[in-house]
Amino acid sequence: MPAQIEKESFAIIGRELEHRGICLPAEEEMVTKRVIHTTADFDYVKNLYYSEGAVEKLRKALREGACIVTDTQMAKAGINKKALGKYGGGVYCFMSDEDVAKEAKERGCTRAFVSMERAAALGKPLIFAIGNAPTALVSLYELMAKKCVEPAGIIGVPVGFVNVVEAKELILEKKEEVPCIVARGRKGGSNVAAAICNALLYGIQEKG
Amino acid sequence: MPAQIEKESFAIIGRELEHRGICLPAEEEMVTKRVIHTTADFDYVKNLYYSEGAVEKLRKALREGACIVTDTQMAKAGINKKALGKYGGGVYCFMSDEDVAKEAKERGCTRAFVSMERAAALGKPLIFAIGNAPTALVSLYELMAKKCVEPAGIIGVPVGFVNVVEAKELILEKKEEVPCIVARGRKGGSNVAAAICNALLYGIQEKG
C-alpha cells in the first residue's frame, strides 16, 4: 500500500514536470524527484546542482560500503539504515554528543567543526550529508584544504538565512575534487539530505 | 553562536515578511516564522491554518504535561525532548515498531491506524504531530468519530501528492472540537511538524 502510493506520487511528479516542460537528466531524475516527493516543492528542479557524474560516483561509494555522516539526528533518523547496511555502511552523527559540545567550548570552535573532525578521524570512506549547519560545510572545506579529510562525496543542502548560500557556494569550489550534490540558495533541510541519501541507495537496489 | 544566528535569521524573516506587506497575527507569529526558518519557504504564510486559539490551547496542553505522538522517527528526532520534558511530556512514535507492522498485516489495516490506536490506548493527554502519513490523519478522524481518542491537539502537516490535501481538509472538519494547526495543500513534512512543536515549546519558555 505505501509502495503503491509512492509509485502514484512519482507518476504525478513526472506528469507535472512534463507539464512544465521540464526534462531531467536521466542520472539525476530519481534523486530530484525524491526531493520533490519529500518537500512537494518543485523549486528543487532549479536548485539542485550535481557535479559531473555525482550520482554514479556516490552510488559507487555506497555500494562499496561508504558510511554517511549527518549533521542532525533528524537526517540520521530519515536515512534508510537497512538499505545502507546491505552494502556495509552505517550512519554517524556527532553533533549532539555531549563531549563534542565540551570540546568545542574548550577549543573555542563550533560543534560542527569538532563533529566533522571526528568523522574524518574514523578513517573510512565517508559521504557527508549536511542538511542543517552551514558551519559543517565550511568546516569540511577547511579540513579538505588541510588534507585532513577526503570525502567520498558531499550532499550539501543546509537550509536557512545566514551564511547558508555562501557555505554551499564554497563547497561548489571543490566540485572537481569531490562528487557533490548541492541545493543552491536558501532551501534544503535534514529531510532533503535524507531523501537524497535514500534516492541514491534505492537506485543501487534497482540495479540489483 | 547558534543562538545568535537564529536571532539573525528570524530578523531577516521578519524584514522579508514586512517587505511583502505581511503582518502575521501575534499569536501565530513565532510558529509560522519557525516553519519558514526550517524550510526557507514563505509559502507557509498562506498554507498554515490555525483553529481559533490553537497556539494558546496547544501551549496550555504542553505546559500541563501533554505528550506528543509523531508518525515518523524523523519528527521524533527533531522535537526538543529537553524542552518538552521540562513540563513532564515525552514523544511517542509507534510507526516503525515491528509488532505494529505485524498487527496491521493481520488486521488488514494500515500501520498508521494501528499506531494511532496504540497512542490512544496510552490514556494520556496527547498532541498528534503528523508530518508524513495522511492515513494517520484519516485514522485519527475515524478514532475521534468512534470516541476512541480525544486529542489535546493535532498538528496536521503531512507532505505529498496522494490523499494528502484531502486528509488535511478532513481534519479541519474537527476544528471546533480539537485545536489544530494544519498546513493546507501539498506541503509539510516531518521537519515542519517538529518545527511547530518546538515553536510551541519555546513560546512557553519565553513566558518563563
Side-chain angles (χ1 to χ4, degrees), chain B:
Chain B
M1 178 73 168
Q4 181 54 37
I5 287 173
E6 186 169 301
K7 203 176 155 189
E8 208 177 314
S9 302
F10 275 83
I12 294 170
I13 295 166
R15 281 200 300 276
E16 297 205 10
L17 287 170
E18 204 182 315
H19 186 72
R20 290 159 199 240
I22 296 160
C23 183
L24 298 168
E27 199 201 49
E28 300 163 12
E29 186 182 350
M30 289 318 289
V31 179
T32 300
K33 279 188 177 172
R34 187 162 290 276
V35 172
I36 296 170
H37 177 255
T38 291
T39 57
D41 190 340
F42 284 83
D43 277 3
Y44 286 99
V45 169
K46 300 186 301 270
N47 295 351
L48 285 176
Y49 170 87
Y50 297 78
S51 70
E52 206 181 321
V55 171
E56 200 184 330
K57 288 172 189 169
L58 288 165
R59 281 195 178 136
K60 184 171 180 291
L62 290 168
R63 199 162 49 225
E64 291 171 355
C67 288
I68 297 174
V69 179
T70 70
D71 65 329
T72 60
Q73 296 298 335
M74 254 187 115
K76 185 178 172 182
I79 292 169
N80 189 328
K81 267 81 68 185
K82 208 168 163 184
L84 179 61
K86 255 176 58 176
Y87 307 103
V91 188
Y92 295 94
C93 176
F94 300 104
M95 287 289 279
S96 51
D97 290 3
E98 271 183 37
D99 58 337
V100 164
K102 192 165 164 270
E103 187 180 330
K105 205 173 172 185
E106 280 166 9
R107 292 171 59 189
C109 62
T110 61
R111 284 188 303 145
F113 187 83
V114 177
S115 299
M116 295 301 110
E117 217 179 36
R118 288 201 182 190
L122 291 169
K124 292 182 179 188
L126 298 173
I127 292 172
F128 290 84
I130 307 301
N132 185 56
T135 46
L137 288 185
V138 177
S139 302
L140 271 181
Y141 182 89
E142 290 169 1
L143 290 167
M144 284 169 74
K146 287 193 226 163
K147 310 275 181 208
C148 295
V149 68
E150 204 178 320
I154 298 177
I155 295 163
V157 295
V159 59
F161 296 85
V162 178
N163 297 333
V164 166
V165 175
E166 297 81 349
K168 292 193 269 198
E169 293 302 318
L170 192 68
I171 282 300
L172 286 180
E173 290 180 18
K174 297 283 184 191
K175 66 179 189 283
E176 310 290 340
E177 291 168 50
V178 55
C180 59
I181 302 176
V182 173
R184 298 181 92 158
R186 288 171 165 179
K187 287 185 178 177
S190 296
N191 54 338
V192 173
I196 292 174
C197 291
N198 291 337
L200 292 170
L201 287 164
Y202 300 156
I204 304 174
Q205 289 179 318
E206 280 160 26
K207 285 180 188 171

Side-chain angles (χ1 to χ4, degrees), chain A residues 16 38 41 74 159 186 191, chain B residues 16 41 74 78 159 186 191:
Chain A
E16 296 206 9
T38 292
D41 190 340
M74 255 187 115
V159 59
R186 287 170 166 178
N191 54 337
Chain B
E16 297 205 10
D41 190 340
M74 254 187 115
V159 59
R186 288 171 165 179
N191 54 338

